[in-house]
Amino acid sequence: PEGAPAPVEIKEVVRVLQRMRERCANPHHRVEQTHWVEPATGRVWKTRQWAGPVVGHVVVEILRPLD
């Protein structure tokens, strides 16, 4: 976890989420993924991930859980 949980707005809904960073590396490349997680449930509501040099970063926001 990085810092205290903080409000994050996703499509006009504010949730208090914990930012977490994941560092991935191989001998040729390093990337950092960022996830915003609901502390009580562990559910990821938002994530920023590296999709490659052509696409760059992709941000995914969960509007409504599937379960």
Side-chain angles (χ1 to χ4, degrees):
E2 190 172 289
V8 175
E9 184 177 335
I10 300 172
K11 287 291 186 189
E12 301 176 1
V13 175
V14 177
R15 300 181 189 285
V16 177
L17 304 176
Q18 177 73 52
R19 184 170 67 177
M20 303 187 83
R21 292 189 190 213
E22 172 187 27
R23 291 175 178 90
C24 304
N26 66 35
H28 307 289
H29 193 68
R30 279 187 231 178
V31 297
E32 184 174 279
Q33 321 288 14
T34 306
H35 314 286
W36 287 265
V37 179
E38 187 173 43
T41 64
R43 182 184 305 275
V44 175
W45 285 96
K46 180 177 179 178
T47 185
R48 179 179 183 263
Q49 304 211 3
W50 179 251
V54 174
V55 176
H57 285 96
V58 174
V59 176
V60 176
E61 296 179 334
I62 306 303
L63 305 178
R64 180 172 47 107
L66 294 175
D67 54 0

